[in-house]
Amino acid sequence: TINITGGPTTYNVAVSGMTLGGTVIADIPASSASDAAGNGNDASTSTDNTITYVPDATPPDTTINSSPTNPTTSNNAAFTFSGTDDHTLPGALTFECQLDGGGFSPCTSPKNYTGLAVGNHTFEVQAKDGAGNVDPTPDTYSWKVSVGPTVTVVNGVCISSGTALGRLNLSLFDPEGDRITMRVISNSNSSLVPDSYIILHGTGTIRTVTIGAIPDRTGTAKITLEVTDGVHSTPFVINFKVGTTG
């Protein structure tokens, strides 16, 4: 495409739409223009009408600027990103995104996702410049949506025959199938319930907590367990009462 602007003494010839590299020659024949006295112009020469065109073949580079924490308990995610290029200004670059290999589609920064499933996810973004070059190495971020284990009381029993004894059966569940561990992290009344009187049994999904008290003593002990999958911790509190009501 040729576009001529300017005048009446100086004209600009713009050529666009080239798809391949090479030499662009604009020929202006003699006497194409004339002055007020009727004198025609000289024909253009190779020194003033030749331009070598080199197409932009360099792709842009893409950077993810912000992303969710990893791991996270949120099933929503927000990303910001930007790009750089040797010809196209940053604000003129366009972008394509994809989540979990679902295919690239046009996107803008920030890119938000909601309702993500528990588990691993991967976000990718690639910039495209004005010449249509696409970043061949999209920037990538992987993270995990994770939730902590849950604790459910299955049943329990209290025995009092000189020494108060309680037994509680718990069901532990982790949605991601991670290994769960359980430990005592606090005991509010060790004079009533010594730490050695708190015994944890089992390694599977069903765990048993046995709690005993020193004979002939009354009171309440608040015992806190930590149930964790290695990433998230769920506290579980047992109020153990001896010789009290309510």
Side-chain angles (χ1 to χ4, degrees), residues 7-90:
T9 58
T10 301
Y11 292 86
N12 299 309
V13 179
V15 182
S16 61
M18 293 81 72
T19 58
L20 299 175
T23 301
V24 179
I25 301 175
D27 286 321
I28 303 176
S31 299
S32 295
S34 59
D35 59 18
N39 300 308
N41 66 283
D42 295 329
S44 60
T45 65
S46 60
T47 60
D48 60 12
N49 68 344
T50 302
I51 297 175
T52 299
Y53 170 67
V54 179
D56 177 10
T58 303
D61 188 55
T62 316
T63 301
I64 295 174
N65 302 116
S66 65
S67 55
T69 57
N70 183 35
T72 178
T73 57
S74 174
N75 60 356
N76 300 327
F79 295 87
T80 62
F81 42 86
S82 58
T84 57
D85 186 67
D86 59 342
H87 287 84
T88 305
L89 294 174

Side-chain angles (χ1 to χ4, degrees), residues 116-151:
L116 297 174
V118 170
N120 295 310
H121 297 280
T122 298
F123 171 77
E124 297 175 86
V125 57
Q126 58 190 17
K128 180 187 291 187
D129 65 18
N133 299 306
V134 178
D135 186 355
T137 57
D139 204 4
T140 301
Y141 182 79
S142 296
W143 78 106
K144 184 178 184 180
V145 177
S146 179
V147 295
T150 59
V151 183

Side-chain angles (χ1 to χ4, degrees), residues 37 95 101 192 205:
F95 297 90
L192 175 67
T205 57

Side-chain angles (χ1 to χ4, degrees), residues 86-109:
D86 59 342
H87 287 84
T88 305
L89 294 174
L93 293 171
T94 58
F95 297 90
E96 296 176 334
C97 301
Q98 77 166 350
L99 180 68
D100 298 335
F104 282 98
S105 60
C107 60
T108 56
S109 180

